[in-house]
């Protein structure tokens, strides 16, 4: 469970909101030291504000890019796992294949229903159901035993 409430998480991680907020704060500070009060300090404060804003934007973009790459890597791993399981269960009878495919569908629906960065743990029950279904398959020959053990290893 996340320490930060979801509504606050959305505000904090909204790049546009933080960019506008930081520009407003920096310009309020710069305006409070306007040429009427301190003409030398205005240029300095405006330069500092611009530098800090630029630094913030670069770090926010870098963080967002690394998080995106992490999510994409996880999705590719999951996709590979599900495709492998789908291919391995072809050696079983139609009833078993249909049951495993239903559990894969349930898992995909669960993962779509929740946000990856906050609620990923809520899709765990469907992954456990998929694993239990794979373990409950009754292999009748060596090929099915191998397919079952490889499928279980994928999960």
């Amino acid at each position: 469970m996340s320490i930060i409430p979801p509504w606050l998480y959305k505000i904090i991680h909204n790049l546009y909101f933080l960019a506008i907020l930081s520009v407003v704060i920096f310009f309020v500070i710069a305006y409070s030291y306007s040429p009427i009060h301190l003409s030398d300090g205005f240029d300095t404060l405006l330069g500092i504000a611009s530098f800090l804003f630029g630094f913030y934007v670069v770090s926010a973009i870098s963080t967002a890019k690394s998080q995106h790459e992490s999510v994409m890597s996880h999705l590719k791993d999951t996709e590979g796992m599900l495709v492998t399981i789908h291919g391995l269960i072809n050696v079983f009878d139609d009833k078993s294949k249909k049951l495993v495919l239903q559990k894969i569908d349930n898992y995909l629906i669960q993962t779509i229903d929740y946000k990856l960065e906050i609620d990923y743990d809520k899709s765990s029950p469907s992954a456990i159901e998929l694993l239990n279904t794979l373990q409950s398959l009754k292999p009748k020959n060596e090929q099915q035993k191998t397919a079952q053990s490889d499928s279980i290893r994928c999960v």
Side-chain angles (χ1 to χ4, degrees), residues 40-112:
D40 295 337
F42 182 73
D43 290 339
T44 306
L45 260 156
L46 196 55
I48 291 171
S50 299
F51 174 77
L52 289 175
F53 178 70
F55 179 75
Y56 166 74
V57 168
V58 167
S59 64
I61 289 172
S62 174
T63 302
K65 184 177 178 190
S66 68
Q67 288 175 346
H68 179 262
E69 289 172 355
S70 173
V71 167
M72 293 306 293
S73 173
H74 177 71
L75 289 175
K76 286 179 184 178
D77 291 345
T78 303
E79 179 184 3
M81 172 194 73
L82 295 176
V83 168
T84 301
I85 291 171
H86 185 272
L88 288 171
I89 62 163
N90 284 332
V91 298
F92 287 95
D93 59 295
D94 288 337
K95 183 181 175 186
S96 298
K97 284 195 295 193
K98 196 177 253 187
L99 181 63
V100 172
L101 290 177
Q102 181 62 41
K103 297 301 178 180
I104 289 174
D105 285 344
N106 290 344
Y107 174 73
L108 288 173
I109 290 169
Q110 285 276 298
T111 57
I112 290 171

Side-chain angles (χ1 to χ4, degrees), residues 80-92 100 130-131 134-135 137 139 141-155:
M81 172 194 73
L82 295 176
V83 168
T84 301
I85 291 171
H86 185 272
L88 288 171
I89 62 163
N90 284 332
V91 298
F92 287 95
V100 172
L130 175 60
L131 178 63
L134 290 171
Q135 289 173 338
L137 294 176
N141 56 36
E142 193 60 36
Q143 186 181 19
Q144 289 181 348
K145 285 180 186 176
T146 305
Q148 181 186 27
S149 65
D150 290 347
S151 297
I152 291 171
R153 250 185 278 131
C154 283
V155 179

Side-chain angles (χ1 to χ4, degrees), residues 113-125:
D113 285 345
Y114 297 110
K115 286 189 161 246
L116 284 175
E117 67 269 5
I118 300 173
D119 298 327
Y120 66 90
D121 58 324
K122 292 183 180 174
S123 63
S124 295

